[in-house]
Amino acid sequence: MGRRALVTGLASFWGGRVAQALEADPDVDVIIGLDTDDPLVELERTEFVRCDQSYSILSRLIRATQVDTVLHTSLVVDSTRLRGRALHETNVIGTMNLLAAASAPDSPVRDLVVKSSTLVYGSTERDPYWFDEATRRSGTARTRVERSLLEAEHYLSDFTEDNPHVDVAVLRSADVLGADIVTPISRLLDLPVVPAVAGFDPLVQFVEETDVIRSIQFVLDHHLSGVFNVAGDGRLPWSECASIVGRPTAPILPPYLAGPFATALSRLGIADLPPELLSLLRYGRGVDNHRLQETGFGYRFTSAGTVDSFAQASRRRRATDIGRPYGHDPDVENFLRHSSAVVRNPER
């Protein structure tokens, strides 16, 4: 009998890609995806269940489907997507409901993989050059998204201690770039002029989107437990990132009034600069990635290689003038599959 998997956040970038990876694995028999919205990528054998932000249906669903594997990809790390109560509902309450369902006396769950973020370390002037998985952040969390991720990880730590029969892997990924993912930092690097904080050129670290998916598959296949940083080797200055993508930097953000300037840029539709990104553009962040590599995982991209790969994809998009490629629209796909207006090729 093969693996039976449940994916939270199916409509998110990570949820859709993880489900696609599971579909390609012949050892996975059942895939169930949860989200409040329809998935944005084409899926062939993943069954979609619509739910609320808090995943209150999880306990009943796990009992009914007897899934043994949960991939929790719904943690929001981009605070421009959700704000206030909705962010807390998704990251904290959703995680609590998931853990309550997975720890029930009759729960079949034996593997839990959680995609988190290096945002849990923060970004301040007092930070070490590298954070390893056991390093505490230098100060209290200053932003809502950081607080919600820390709270979610706190509950995960308690769950791990109380449920030693479950393999729990928490993957803290660095800032992600790639051909398809869109984040506040990727949008900055796509601008004609890349904003910077005056007087600062921080060292930043990235991980390529496909390496994140590969890391999730790796810890799942090897039944790993623990916390793992997921990041490409090395760090590079923010100005060098802009240079790689062929853009100049502009120190338009004053160091002590960056917040109001960022709000103005957002209202003008120029760029989204949430508080956690403003901190990164001042102080940078670096995490030690050796722990996962010591288990046998190998990255395909360094930090600099990730930026270069992103730059190449960005240039291709501009050259073809098509913007982001078409993803998946359920209504369009249903039309193409079932409408009598579509011309069918009987040889296919």
Side-chain angles (χ1 to χ4, degrees), residues 54-333:
S54 66
Y55 293 121
S56 57
I57 196 177
L58 266 170
S59 183
R60 181 181 178 189
L61 194 64
I62 287 177
R63 286 198 309 270
T65 60
Q66 289 294 291
V67 294
D68 50 59
T69 301
V70 176
L71 298 109
H72 191 34
T73 69
S74 63
L75 288 180
V76 176
V77 301
D78 176 2
S79 64
T80 64
R81 282 182 48 212
L82 289 177
R83 301 183 186 277
R85 180 63 187 175
L87 181 64
H88 183 270
E89 189 85 4
T90 298
N91 284 0
V92 179
I93 306 302
T95 299
M96 290 175 64
N97 284 333
L98 168 62
L99 299 180
S103 61
D106 57 347
S107 170
V109 175
R110 293 298 177 267
D111 286 284
L112 171 60
V113 180
V114 181
K115 189 210 164 287
S116 187
S117 168
T118 56
L119 280 172
V120 297
Y121 299 117
S123 184
T124 74
E125 69 276 12
R126 300 183 301 278
D127 289 347
Y129 193 83
W130 300 109
F131 284 98
D132 66 26
E133 289 82 355
T135 308
R136 292 182 177 273
R137 59 181 293 139
S138 302
T140 57
R142 299 176 180 178
T143 69
R144 287 178 175 175
V145 67
E146 291 174 355
R147 287 194 295 270
S148 70
L149 291 171
L150 286 167
E151 192 170 352
E153 285 205 12
H154 171 75
Y155 290 120
L156 283 162
S157 178
D158 288 346
F159 173 87
T160 301
E161 185 174 342
D162 295 338
N163 297 272
H165 62 285
V166 181
D167 292 320
V168 182
V170 178
L171 302 180
R172 295 171 176 167
S173 71
D175 289 286
V176 184
L177 292 175
D180 296 323
I181 192 169
V182 180
T183 66
I185 204 164
S186 74
R187 287 192 289 263
L188 284 190
L189 291 171
D190 258 338
L191 291 174
V193 177
V194 176
V197 177
F200 291 84
D201 192 14
L203 295 174
V204 289
Q205 187 177 25
F206 295 99
V207 61
E208 212 274 339
E209 61 187 40
T210 58
D211 274 340
V212 178
I213 298 297
R214 290 178 56 249
S215 72
I216 293 172
Q217 291 177 282
F218 183 86
V219 299
L220 191 61
D221 291 342
H222 292 78
H223 300 277
L224 297 183
S225 293
V227 179
F228 301 93
N229 291 331
V230 180
D233 287 342
R235 302 167 72 186
L236 63 165
W238 179 240
S239 59
E240 186 175 338
C241 297
S243 178
I244 291 173
V245 300
R247 308 294 200 190
T249 54
I252 60 174
L253 299 167
Y256 300 107
L257 292 173
F261 273 77
T263 301
L265 291 176
S266 177
R267 288 175 177 172
L268 293 171
I270 297 173
D272 285 319
L273 287 156
E276 59 274 9
L277 180 52
L278 288 175
S279 295
L280 185 74
L281 293 180
R282 291 183 70 179
Y283 307 116
R285 180 169 53 242
V287 299
D288 188 321
N289 63 1
H290 286 90
R291 187 180 186 200
L292 185 58
Q293 292 187 88
E294 288 168 356
T295 67
F297 180 76
Y299 292 93
R300 291 177 178 168
F301 296 87
T302 63
S303 281
T306 297
V307 179
D308 183 63
S309 177
F310 166 79
Q312 293 180 41
S314 181
R315 284 193 289 269
R316 285 194 298 269
R317 285 195 300 271
R318 294 197 298 270
T320 54
D321 196 31
I322 61 172
R324 295 278 170 177
Y326 167 74
H328 176 77
D329 186 304
D331 292 333
V332 173
E333 297 299 335

Side-chain angles (χ1 to χ4, degrees), residues 326-346:
Y326 167 74
H328 176 77
D329 186 304
D331 292 333
V332 173
E333 297 299 335
N334 286 332
F335 169 78
L336 293 175
R337 290 178 181 177
H338 305 297
S339 174
S340 60
V342 176
V343 179
R344 312 291 175 185
N345 185 344

